[in-house]
């Protein structure tokens, strides 16, 4: 019999409010990528409700895995490996996908690899851009994380900075709620900001002058909410587009300043952007301009791989397995898992 040369990994992701499964060949080729999102369910609460999320994951996980196998045209027997997210995230959510992954590994005898969700976001770039490679700096910005990471090599990370309070996506979502916009607020603020003046409201850029790579968005959020409330109390009309543009510019300014500094100080030739907020055009534009001036390559994933998905988990898990790593089946969910 001819020796099998390609390897198939089933990836599973359930760290927040997306139940996802994907089959990826050799860490780079997506054969299927199924995402069942709970956004519509959480929308009426203005954010993710953890208990509701875990119950939805329980209902969705097996149909989503079945769909990923069917879309890829494979069965469990064709797989070589199973990878699932084990942190960071909501513990009740993480446990559903992780338990499904470990149980399938136990039943099939396949190797199992637990994956860090933030590492998965970095791999979303390696999945689709052949020229994206370490050494690189990666800015991962989503509803749950804001991390600036020096990707020294595949699997070797140095976290340069992270948010000290709210994640960038969380800041977008919370301010959007006050504007009466539906969850998730990031895309709504971006849309409204298109016709607005980003200088209309002066908002603080937390930690921007500090000699570190950390972020802080809570001061900006409070200032934005105060500006909105005092305008309402005084009966001054608030321009939605101007307000949205000012908020977006404040968040983007803080992200771009620290990221560009990290690229300059590490001397890398490649910048990666990942996570849900990576879909923001203003952020893409500002980083793109700065990298062009420096002759640094700049990559971000297509929208379907910016948001939470399991293809990125399968890819990261595959490369860890190729390096000889395997996780024990008693691996537990780690809600506060760090990258290094
Ligand atoms: O990565 P993701 O799907 O889930 C988490 O791990 O959090 O990211 C979702 C976050 C939400 O906060 C959402 O508002 C934000 O990404 N987001 C955006 C945009 N698209 C999604 N923020 C700003 N601009 C966008 N275009
Ligand atoms: Zn994420």
């Amino acid at each position: 019999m001819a020796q099998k040369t390609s390897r198939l990994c089933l990836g599973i992701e359930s760290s927040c409010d997306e139940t996802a499964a994907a089959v990826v060949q050799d860490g780079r080729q997506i054969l299927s990528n199924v995402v069942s999102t709970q956004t519509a369910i959480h929308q009426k609460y203005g954010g993710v409700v953890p208990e509701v999320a875990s119950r939805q994951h329980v209902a969705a996980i097996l149909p989503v895995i079945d769909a990923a196998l069917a879309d890829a045209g494979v069965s469990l027997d064709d797989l070589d490996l199973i990878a699932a997210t084990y942190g960071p995230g909501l513990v009740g959510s993480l446990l559903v996908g992780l338990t499904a992954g470990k149980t399938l590994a136990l039943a099939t005898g396949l190797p199992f690899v637990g994956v860090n969700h933030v590492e998965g976001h970095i791999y979303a770039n390696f999945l689709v851009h052949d020229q994206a490679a370490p050494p690189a700096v990666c800015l991962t910005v989503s509803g749950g994380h804001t991390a600036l990471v020096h990707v020294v090599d595949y699997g070797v990370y140095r976290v340069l900075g992270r948010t000290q309070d709210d994640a960038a996506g969380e800041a977008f979502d919370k301010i959007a709620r006050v504007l009466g916009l539906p969850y998730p607020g990031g895309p709504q603020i971006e849309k409204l900001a298109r016709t607005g003046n980003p200088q209309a409201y002066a908002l603080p850029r937390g930690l921007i002058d500090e000699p570190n790579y950390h972020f802080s968005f809570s001061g900006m959020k409070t200032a934005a909410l105060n500006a909105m409330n005092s305008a309402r109390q005084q009966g001054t009309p608030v321009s939605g587009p101007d307000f949205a543009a000012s908020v977006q510019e404040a968040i983007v300014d803080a992200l771009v300043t620290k990221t560009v500094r990290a690229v300059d100080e590490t001397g890398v030739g490649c910048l990666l952007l990942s996570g849900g907020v990576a879909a923001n055009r203003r952020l893409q534009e500002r980083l793109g301009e700065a990298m062009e001036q420096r002759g640094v390559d700049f990559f971000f994933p297509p929208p379907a791989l910016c948001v939470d998905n399991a293809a990125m988990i399968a890819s990261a898990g595959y490369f860890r397995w190729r390096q000889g790593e395997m996780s024990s089946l008693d691996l537990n969910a780690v809600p506060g898992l760090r990258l290094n």
Side-chain angles (χ1 to χ4, degrees), residues 16-18 117 121 141-145 169-170 172-173 184-187 190 275-277 279-281 306-308:
C16 188
D17 61 342
E18 264 88 34
H117 180 83
H121 275 302
V141 266
S142 72
H145 340 275
E170 196 180 354
F172 272 114
D173 295 341
E190 178 178 1
V277 183
N280 185 279
R281 298 253 176 85
C306 283
V307 295
D308 285 351

Side-chain angles (χ1 to χ4, degrees), residues 151-169:
V151 185
V152 180
D153 200 348
Y154 292 105
V156 183
Y157 310 104
R158 198 161 62 92
V159 177
L160 302 170
R162 46 169 59 95
T163 182
Q164 305 298 290
D165 37 63
D166 292 347

